[in-house]
Amino acid sequence: ATLTQGLEAALEQALDSTQPATQAQAEPLADALLRLDACNETAHAARLALRARAGDAAGVEAAYHACAERLRDELGVRPS
């Protein structure tokens, strides 16, 4: 498995966990994935989900716009 695959698996486990300490690892894992791959779909989806779970509508919007900007800059596309 690649580093990206390992981080994605760890991120998915953190998101699925019922343990607060494990859930708290999700944001840093998403950040690490985005440092490796600015267009990582798993990481962007996690950021949106984390902010939505927290009831942070402004954070969801900011995360969406950050994702859209990276996709536009890196790939010349918009999120679907």
Side-chain angles (χ1 to χ4, degrees), residues 2-79:
T2 67
L3 177 59
T4 299
Q5 290 169 328
L7 287 170
E8 286 176 341
L11 176 57
E12 289 170 5
Q13 287 177 349
L15 290 170
D16 292 341
S17 176
T18 58
Q19 301 299 317
T22 303
Q23 291 173 348
Q25 297 172 0
E27 188 84 26
L29 288 167
D31 292 343
L33 274 167
L34 291 172
R35 281 192 298 277
L36 291 172
D37 175 6
C39 297
N40 186 284
E41 182 178 357
T42 301
H44 282 291
R47 283 185 155 182
L48 290 165
L50 289 165
R51 284 163 177 78
R53 283 184 192 176
D56 180 8
V60 171
E61 186 175 353
Y64 174 82
H65 287 296
C67 173
E69 183 178 330
R70 286 186 176 180
L71 290 174
R72 184 186 63 244
D73 292 349
E74 298 285 329
L75 304 174
V77 299
R78 294 177 25 202

